[in-house]
Amino acid sequence: MKLSRIALAGGVAASTVLLIAGPAAAHVSVQPVGEAAKGGYATLNFKVPNERDQASTVKLEVNFPADHPLSSVTPQAVPGWKIDISKSKLDKPLEVHGKKITEAVSKVTWTADEGEIAPGYFQQFPVSVGALPEDADQLVFKAIQTYDNKEVVRWIEEPTAGGEEPDSPAPVLKLTAAAEDGHGAADDTKKTDDHKAADTEASAKESSTAASSSSSDTTARTLGIIGIVIGIAGIAFGVLAGRRRSA
């Protein structure tokens, strides 16, 4: 009986933890498609779950980090949603592919036109971004979620130093190490070129050897034929000389 009460209490406690953890995990988040490497480009998905039973999400605002501005921000069209892009002047221009960028996207807003996020559903909002900073390990995107009952939820709290998640955490994008594909590709290309050069040189040597051998064979055959002709001529000359003496 006592064991049953302990088990029941443990089950209730576990259920309470799940109930508490459930709503805390249902917040606006950002995830890359694949990896988000420093210095590279990536496609990000902003995932927006609907946390209300009696209201639908009709608006999402995502603020892009001002301390690490992105020169390229291109949202993908989402059926039923209107997209507005806000830009701001940069204190320090960015240089991209030899061009100076004096302004960058500061906010992207999705507003429901014919669609909305109903209770029990979520929606993803894809955005292509780059180039990602090389001097940061993460990017924080503060987001604001609006419901059709005029309720506004601000997902703007940044992670604490202790690693504990705040009540209304902002979406955080973790950046991975810079990709080394370029260096690797260059090395592979160099190795391939070296192999090709070696093969070409070997082929040239073989061709030269073959040509030399062929030339030697031709010369030998020519000399042999000349020798035979001279030999025949000598024999003929000797025969004629002998006949003359006999006569």
Side-chain angles (χ1 to χ4, degrees):
M1 183 67 176
K2 187 175 181 180
L3 292 175
S4 300
R5 289 179 181 177
I6 294 174
L8 179 59
V12 171
S15 300
T16 304
V17 170
L18 290 175
L19 290 173
I20 293 175
H27 55 72
V28 177
S29 60
V30 59
Q31 291 293 333
V33 178
E35 290 188 350
K38 297 178 181 180
Y41 288 74
T43 297
L44 310 180
N45 279 328
F46 289 94
K47 182 178 178 181
V48 183
N50 194 89
E51 295 184 307
R52 302 295 180 262
D53 296 331
Q54 304 298 327
S56 298
T57 298
V58 294
K59 187 177 181 181
L60 172 69
E61 301 169 67
V62 175
N63 293 277
F64 285 73
D67 54 343
H68 293 291
L70 301 174
S71 60
S72 175
V73 176
T74 307
Q76 180 179 331
V78 179
W81 292 78
K82 183 178 65 175
I83 302 175
D84 292 320
I85 301 175
S86 301
K87 295 184 178 181
S88 60
K89 292 288 185 180
L90 298 176
D91 296 333
K92 183 180 179 181
L94 299 175
E95 187 170 345
V96 181
H97 303 303
K99 296 182 179 180
K100 285 189 176 181
I101 307 297
T102 58
E103 62 178 13
V105 172
S106 56
K107 182 171 67 172
V108 177
T109 302
W110 290 266
T111 305
D113 188 9
E114 297 179 353
E116 59 184 22
I117 307 175
Y121 291 86
F122 75 91
Q123 177 68 51
Q124 293 193 105
F125 299 90
V127 182
S128 174
V129 301
L132 297 172
E134 298 180 1
D135 57 348
D137 295 325
Q138 65 181 25
L139 293 179
V140 179
F141 300 86
K142 296 182 178 181
I144 300 176
Q145 182 180 9
T146 303
Y147 290 89
D148 57 4
N149 62 356
K150 307 302 181 183
E151 180 186 1
V152 177
V153 181
R154 301 178 183 276
W155 305 100
I156 61 174
E157 297 181 22
E158 298 188 22
T160 59
E164 295 182 0
E165 188 175 73
D167 294 333
S168 299
V172 176
L173 174 67
K174 301 290 186 180
L175 302 181
T176 60
E180 297 181 357
D181 295 344
H183 299 296
D187 292 341
D188 291 342
T189 302
K190 185 177 183 301
K191 291 179 181 178
T192 301
D193 291 342
D194 290 343
H195 286 311
K196 287 182 178 179
D199 292 340
T200 302
E201 185 178 356
S203 298
K205 288 181 179 179
E206 290 177 1
S207 299
S208 178
T209 302
S212 178
S213 177
S214 176
S215 177
S216 299
D217 292 343
T218 302
T219 302
R221 289 175 183 175
T222 302
L223 292 176
I225 292 172
I226 292 173
I228 293 172
V229 171
I230 292 174
I232 293 173
I235 294 172
F237 181 79
V239 171
L240 291 174
R243 289 180 179 179
R244 288 177 182 177
R245 289 176 183 176
S246 298

